[in-house]
Amino acid sequence: MEVVNKKWPIEKLFAERAEILKKWETGKEVQDINKGIEYQKTIPKAKNFAAKLKEAKENGVTLVQPRAGVALVNEHIALLQYLQDEGGADLLPSTIDSYTRQNRYMEAQKGIEESVSSGRSLLNGFPAVNHGLENCRKVVESLKSPVQVRHGTPDARLLAEITLAAGFTDYEGGGISYNIPYAKDVSLEKTIYYWQYVDRLVGYYQENGVEINREPFGPLTGTLVPPSISHAVAILEAILAAEQGVMNMTLGYGQCGNLTQDVAAIQTLEELADEYLKDNGYEGRQLTTVFHQWMGGFPQDEAKAFGVISWGASAAALAKATKVIVKTPHEAMGIPTKEANAQGLRTTKQLINMLKDQSLPESKKLQLEKEMIKKETRAILDATLKLGEGDWAKGAIRAFESGIIDIPFAPSRYNAGRILPARDNEGAIRLLDSGDLPFTKEIEEFHKEKIEIRGKAEDREPSFQMVIDDIYAIGKGFLVGRPS
């Protein structure tokens, strides 16, 4: 399978669509794509993700959004209504269950049936494909806020067909970000191709007057991911989406924990994405940003967990992200109660409101951080395009093969896994080993020096033990994993 970054003819989408809709019985409910388009046009502007994000960006407001999803329709609606009304969520999710993420619809159906008989959700999300068109529309119609599909699906084609026809106005994921951090044996050729389908579908809705927002998954593995790595993947997925006709994109970043680095990352993400989209001929795209609160291990103590949530809220507000994805005080224990989820939202909203009129002052430290993130990201992206001989899809595949893009701690065998990140003495994420990333000597020396300063402060040689210590640090109440 050779994948190239070229817009699909609509005939190709429709030919593939005929086969995709046969994957589960609910596919036949969305055979007439025009009915889905007409239904989307009935969605009021106040419930359209792209419109609400545009308004927030223009007004300098950071919106709050939870993660949430359960097995049964009425219970899922009740959960989202609670988060909307009691948590104050500005934007709502439908987090999809793990069986649906793997296209295992038979097991998802069994999970629905067992949830009915047991009286509680036995799935870790909402099985939208199995529930089908009308039930998904019932979810959308029961809420006052825009709803997004959040999942983690390498092959999300049927899920996209059903949820877009049902009135969801935002779709998360991408051929890289929903493969390499999530799957072990799925090739990038396959997932980039699958997601070209999704993006062409979104593009077709757009061509027919329907604004759908797309959001690549920014945090990747969520474990000590340097900003330049997540930026490179986000911008690659934005370019691939734009080629298929996507006009509205929210690019994401997962909190690292050092305030200066986090603010620099969000500010450079939009700047770099705008630069690369325009340089590649993709004009007129609406770009917004999403900041994900800390994605790594959490303290079990709820009071400490609120401290982590508050720090993430503060960073999102000071960085002026368009929205923030909120964690809960039950993060260390598993799926949260609706009450805990709402508490995380209210905590975040309090911080957002208190800091909305403030910003992190420009400083030499912030300027340097932004400069280094931009140099690193450009180095990765420019090398990727060169490898692809001018084609971004080919370049992405070859970049992972060669280690020019390398996501730390990813399970995929298509990822090199040669880089080793660790925190510097102030908690910013640096590289102990940059593997085969295409960095200049200047960039290499910058990382080496930052890590050496920490080593001297801790009176130990920089080593893999630092990496291990940093992975567990926040769960133990710290940012930097210092020796005992």
Side-chain angles (χ1 to χ4, degrees):
M1 178 189 292
E2 183 178 51
V3 180
V4 295
N5 186 40
K6 186 176 181 181
K7 188 174 184 178
W8 286 19
I10 199 61
E11 295 79 13
K12 179 176 181 177
L13 175 68
F14 286 168
E16 297 246 347
R17 191 171 184 269
E19 296 304 312
I20 294 302
L21 298 186
K22 296 175 184 175
K23 298 286 186 181
W24 188 251
E25 59 188 32
T26 51
K28 65 179 181 292
E29 299 169 3
V30 298
Q31 280 181 333
D32 187 345
I33 195 170
N34 292 315
K35 289 184 178 178
I37 289 168
E38 291 309 309
Y39 182 78
Q40 277 279 359
K41 289 179 178 178
T42 70
I43 303 290
K45 188 176 180 181
K47 291 174 65 170
N48 181 277
F49 237 91
K52 194 152 187 177
L53 288 167
K54 181 182 180 182
E55 181 184 17
K57 181 178 178 178
E58 289 172 349
N59 294 327
V61 172
T62 299
L63 304 174
V64 301
Q65 180 182 350
R67 293 178 176 87
V70 292
L72 304 180
V73 174
N74 290 337
E75 287 77 0
H76 184 63
I77 290 169
L79 171 60
L80 296 186
Q81 287 176 334
Y82 186 88
L83 298 177
Q84 172 187 269
D85 299 335
E86 300 299 322
D90 302 303
L91 304 164
L92 291 167
S94 281
T95 303
I96 304 301
D97 69 288
S98 294
Y99 287 131
T100 301
R101 297 180 192 195
Q102 298 302 316
N103 311 108
R104 292 163 60 181
Y105 307 124
M106 195 71 75
E107 287 101 323
Q109 189 61 38
K110 186 177 179 182
I112 292 171
E113 293 164 3
E114 291 180 352
S115 296
V116 170
S117 61
S118 69
R120 64 188 181 92
S121 180
L122 296 177
L123 295 175
N124 65 343
F126 182 69
V129 169
N130 291 69
H131 284 309
L133 181 65
E134 293 306 319
N135 281 322
C136 286
R137 284 184 176 175
K138 184 179 178 184
V139 171
V140 171
E141 290 168 1
S142 299
L143 302 165
K144 294 179 284 188
S145 300
V147 195
Q148 178 188 46
V149 183
R150 302 191 69 85
H151 44 122
T153 312
D155 180 2
R157 292 174 289 179
L158 182 56
L159 178 64
E161 288 280 4
I162 288 172
T163 52
L164 293 185
F168 289 75
T169 55
D170 193 300
Y171 202 75
E172 189 193 28
I176 302 169
S177 62
Y178 268 4
N179 176 357
I180 302 299
Y182 282 88
K184 181 180 179 181
D185 291 314
V186 185
S187 73
L188 274 172
E189 286 92 342
K190 286 183 177 179
T191 51
I192 288 175
Y193 186 84
Y194 297 156
W195 280 85
Q196 283 180 325
Y197 178 109
V198 172
D199 287 327
R200 187 67 191 93
L201 180 66
V202 171
Y204 186 73
Y205 271 79
Q206 180 75 43
E207 289 158 15
N208 285 274
V210 176
E211 301 278 351
I212 303 290
N213 196 67
R214 282 277 289 109
E215 181 186 320
F217 180 63
L220 303 175
T221 53
T223 307
L224 303 181
V225 179
S228 58
I229 300 291
S230 58
H231 280 22
V233 172
I235 292 166
L236 266 173
E237 292 190 333
I239 290 169
L240 296 174
E243 175 63 25
Q244 300 301 328
V246 174
M247 298 299 292
N248 303 287
M249 290 173 272
T250 301
L251 304 189
Y253 165 80
Q255 181 182 11
C256 289
N258 173 281
L259 182 62
T260 302
Q261 187 174 49
D262 286 336
V263 170
I266 283 290
Q267 291 179 355
T268 54
L269 177 55
E270 186 174 343
E271 180 184 338
L272 285 165
D274 187 61
E275 172 188 320
Y276 274 86
L277 285 168
K278 286 178 178 175
D279 284 352
N280 285 273
Y282 305 116
E283 300 282 348
R285 267 58 184 184
Q286 175 178 290
L287 286 178
T288 51
T289 55
V290 51
F291 185 92
H292 294 252
Q293 290 179 355
W294 176 245
M295 294 286 289
F298 255 67
Q300 291 190 2
D301 182 281
E302 287 191 23
K304 293 180 180 180
F306 278 120
V308 178
I309 291 167
S310 297
W311 188 233
S314 301
L318 293 170
K320 305 303 177 189
T322 321
K323 73 168 182 173
V324 56
I325 302 292
V326 176
K327 289 289 191 170
T328 83
H330 288 179
E331 206 64 40
M333 294 168 275
I335 297 174
T337 63
K338 68 180 189 297
E339 291 82 6
N341 209 334
Q343 284 178 322
L345 286 165
R346 291 198 300 272
T347 299
T348 298
K349 202 140 197 179
Q350 176 73 17
L351 267 294
I352 294 290
N353 289 338
M354 289 173 65
L355 292 171
K356 67 181 180 180
D357 300 315
Q358 300 181 51
S359 59
L360 191 66
E362 283 291 335
S363 64
K364 289 183 179 179
K365 189 178 289 188
L366 180 60
Q367 289 282 4
L368 176 62
E369 202 65 50
K370 291 200 282 192
E371 179 186 335
M372 295 309 298
I373 291 171
K374 286 192 278 190
K375 284 182 179 179
E376 292 174 23
T377 305
R378 289 189 181 113
I380 294 169
L381 288 173
D382 293 349
T384 297
L385 187 60
K386 185 176 180 180
L387 269 182
E389 300 171 85
D391 186 285
W392 287 104
K394 288 181 182 179
I397 293 162
R398 294 171 185 173
F400 274 93
E401 288 173 351
S402 63
I404 279 176
I405 304 176
D406 194 350
I407 298 172
F409 313 112
S412 174
R413 67 184 181 91
Y414 296 94
N415 185 67
R418 289 192 282 270
I419 69 170
L420 272 182
R423 296 190 184 277
D424 68 14
N425 206 41
E426 296 181 349
I429 293 176
R430 309 299 181 195
L431 287 165
L432 183 65
D433 188 336
S434 60
D436 292 310
L437 298 179
F439 287 168
T440 62
K441 186 177 180 181
E442 177 200 5
I443 295 171
E444 296 275 8
E445 288 297 321
F446 174 79
H447 285 269
K448 182 180 178 183
E449 182 182 339
K450 290 290 186 180
I451 295 287
E452 285 178 348
I453 290 170
R454 175 181 170 186
K456 289 177 183 176
E458 295 176 357
D459 196 24
R460 61 171 170 170
E461 286 294 317
S463 69
F464 183 64
Q465 187 59 48
M466 278 185 176
V467 183
I468 296 170
D469 293 344
D470 288 342
I471 287 171
Y472 291 104
I474 287 181
K476 295 178 178 180
F478 302 93
L479 179 62
V480 183
R482 309 285 188 189
S484 304

